[in-house]
Amino acid sequence: MSHSTISPPEQQAPPAGAPSPLGGGLKQRHLSMIALGGVIGAGLFVGSGAGIAAAGPSIVLAYAASGVLVLFVMRMLGEMSATNPASGSFSVHAERAVGPWAGFTAGWMFWTLLCVGVAIEAIGAAHIMTGWFPGTPSWMWVALFMAVFCGSNLGAVSRFGEFEFWFAALKICAIGLFLGLGVLAVLGLLPGTSSPGTANLVHDGGFLPKGVDGLLVGLLASVVAYGGLETVTIAAAESEDPVRGVAKAVRTTMWRIAIVYVGSMLVIVTLLPWNDPAVTADGPYAAALDHLGIAGAGEIMNVVILIALLSAMNANIYGSSRMAYSLVARGQGPRALGRVSGGVPRRAVLASSGFGFVTVLLSYWYPDTLFAWLLNMVGGVILVVWGFIAVSQFVLRRRLEREAPGKLVVKMWGFPYLTWVALAGVAGVLVLMALGEDTRVQVLFTGGLTVALAATGYALQRRTAGRRAD
């Protein structure tokens, strides 16, 4: 029998350090699936095609190298989040390690990235739906998806967890089935197929058909595909056991990256010639399934991609609303967004969804100006965030070793050397982006956003310090 409950009245976000009024309805199974599903996105199913076209079979090395970088970043983030679980995740850690301006900068940059991501995913999902239902307007599908997932996030956090649990389960089943069929085909054990051996890995220009330049382009493409893993540390703050949840999620990152990303790329470039036009035209997964003679491969992948897009929309609205709430709770955002009702920061949910919807409208009204500027501004945001994570972990780890070493439940490997390696890796990728003709503008726009937010955050920090002094 269900019992109705009266939601508590709206509360203002508490001061930093005070107990959070957010709900704690996420279970360990939710966190596990959020962590698993977060690594399987539309960028993997579709975006990896451009990486394969640029790097050829060496895309496997590109995903492995960027995967190691992501592994280090998640380990550092896991160390800090297990010690101090917070809905603001790395923004809170940056504030504690560097100062309020750093938390402000990292937090609002990530919020912008997630909100723009919501728009991109809504547009992609609407495109699939208009393909299935010709004549229907794409704005109708965008409005429908926005309403559904805004609604799911306005309810108890357990509702978000259930959505993500089943979305992730479907994605994991799809990728598992693909890998199973692909491995059987590579081994020549799938009926009606013969093993390709290493022919596709060494022919058509060899393993590095476009040289080191192609490998670097593939590396940049692979870095973008890994975005989204950070959400699990945000969600952990609303789970039953945040420390255990973060620790478990981080410890399974390695094999998830190895199997899902590196394993998928290896199967695809072994089965198909890297320069097969279908890899970019239809997407690498659909092309591989077509090659295996799977009937309706294109439509099957459209269903999987739609699920991945909707999952990302749901997760991004959640992550952006919690980041906004955390920033407001620390005095770094409009106080109106800090209202909490029924354990949910509903105004922050509405604001994040609204910004995403406005971004969709900009894509229709000003596709070559405002929308293009937004896309360029968030192009390198994830790398800047990773940089903040590395710096924060270095500072906080030193502090913890002096003051409370017993709190180090999850430890970064090879500290401080691998922390420096991760920071150098982030800087290296940004340099490569600055040198590339197609990505240089993203570095410039992201740099402009970073400077603007840092200056605003620093001014806010000085003003707050002045008020306390008075």
Side-chain angles (χ1 to χ4, degrees):
M1 178 182 294
S2 62
H3 300 276
S4 62
T5 57
I6 300 175
S7 297
E10 284 193 342
Q11 305 168 357
Q12 186 62 259
S20 172
L22 293 182
L26 292 179
K27 303 180 183 298
Q28 183 60 46
R29 67 181 179 89
H30 293 148
L31 273 189
S32 296
M33 278 298 186
I34 290 170
L36 285 165
V39 81
I40 307 172
L44 172 66
F45 292 119
V46 181
S48 55
I52 293 172
S58 67
I59 191 67
V60 177
L61 293 182
Y63 270 90
S66 55
V68 170
L69 175 59
V70 174
L71 181 63
F72 289 166
V73 169
M74 286 303 296
R75 188 74 184 188
M76 290 186 289
L77 184 54
E79 177 183 292
M80 295 184 289
S81 297
T83 303
N84 181 37
S87 60
S89 186
F90 50 82
S91 173
V92 173
H93 308 321
E95 178 174 340
R96 294 176 62 233
V98 183
W101 72 267
F104 179 94
T105 305
W108 284 116
M109 287 187 78
F110 196 68
W111 181 84
T112 305
L113 171 66
L114 293 185
C115 290
V116 173
V118 168
I120 295 171
E121 289 135 12
I123 293 168
H127 179 72
I128 292 175
M129 297 305 293
T130 54
W132 288 340
F133 301 96
T136 56
S138 59
W139 63 263
M140 180 189 74
W141 296 110
V142 169
L144 175 63
F145 294 143
M146 284 288 189
V148 168
F149 293 112
C150 179
S152 76
N153 278 279
L154 286 172
V157 69
S158 58
R159 187 184 301 175
F160 157 76
E162 283 299 316
F163 264 101
E164 279 306 289
F165 178 86
W166 292 109
F167 276 144
L170 290 170
K171 289 190 291 185
I172 291 163
C173 288
I175 202 75
L177 182 60
F178 172 83
L179 287 172
L181 292 172
V183 169
L184 289 175
V186 167
L187 297 175
L189 300 178
L190 192 68
T193 63
S194 58
S195 174
T198 60
N200 292 322
L201 299 176
V202 297
H203 293 169
D204 295 317
F207 192 71
L208 278 164
K210 295 188 179 180
V212 176
D213 289 343
L215 176 61
L216 295 179
V217 174
L219 178 65
L220 296 178
S222 63
V223 166
V224 175
Y226 282 115
L229 281 168
E230 304 81 9
T231 303
V232 71
T233 61
I234 296 174
E238 294 185 75
S239 66
E240 297 170 334
D241 188 347
V243 174
R244 177 172 170 266
V246 168
K248 185 173 181 180
V250 170
R251 284 169 182 155
T252 58
T253 298
M254 181 182 294
W255 66 263
R256 282 188 276 122
I257 288 175
I259 294 176
V260 172
Y261 278 95
V262 182
S264 291
M265 292 302 104
L266 183 57
V267 165
I268 289 167
V269 296
T270 303
L271 284 176
L272 295 171
W274 65 271
N275 52 4
D276 187 331
V279 171
T280 51
D282 304 330
Y285 289 81
L289 291 176
D290 271 331
H291 177 75
L292 297 179
I294 306 297
E299 288 308 311
I300 291 172
M301 286 313 304
N302 272 338
V303 172
V304 174
I305 292 167
L306 178 64
I307 291 170
L309 288 166
L310 297 181
S311 171
M313 277 188 69
N314 192 37
N316 285 354
I317 291 174
Y318 169 82
S320 58
S321 66
R322 269 38 177 199
M323 183 60 74
Y325 166 79
S326 175
L327 287 160
V328 172
R330 289 176 278 138
Q332 297 179 348
R335 293 185 63 188
L337 299 184
R339 293 284 181 180
V340 176
S341 177
V344 177
R346 288 176 177 155
R347 292 187 183 181
V349 171
L350 290 171
S352 299
S353 302
F355 186 89
F357 191 72
V358 168
T359 304
V360 172
L361 296 180
L362 293 179
S363 74
Y364 293 137
W365 296 338
Y366 308 104
D368 300 321
T369 52
L370 294 180
F371 185 64
W373 293 346
L374 275 174
L375 292 182
N376 285 324
M377 277 195 295
V378 301
V381 161
I382 197 64
L383 290 165
V384 176
V385 167
W386 290 353
F388 274 114
I389 289 172
V391 172
S392 302
Q393 188 269 337
F394 181 85
V395 174
L396 295 178
R397 174 65 175 267
R398 290 295 196 200
R399 190 180 301 169
L400 275 173
E401 287 177 337
R402 293 193 307 268
E403 301 173 0
K407 289 186 176 181
L408 287 169
V409 180
V410 178
K411 292 184 179 181
M412 174 60 180
W413 311 292
F415 179 82
Y417 307 107
L418 292 185
T419 297
W420 285 113
V421 168
L423 196 55
V426 169
V429 175
L430 283 171
V431 169
L432 291 175
M433 289 181 69
L435 295 176
E437 292 184 8
D438 296 334
T439 52
R440 186 179 300 125
V441 67
Q442 294 180 10
V443 175
L444 294 175
F445 273 78
T446 300
L449 177 64
T450 305
V451 171
L453 286 174
T456 304
Y458 186 71
L460 182 64
Q461 178 179 319
R462 289 284 299 268
R463 188 175 68 180
T464 303
R467 286 176 177 173
R468 289 173 180 170
D470 294 339

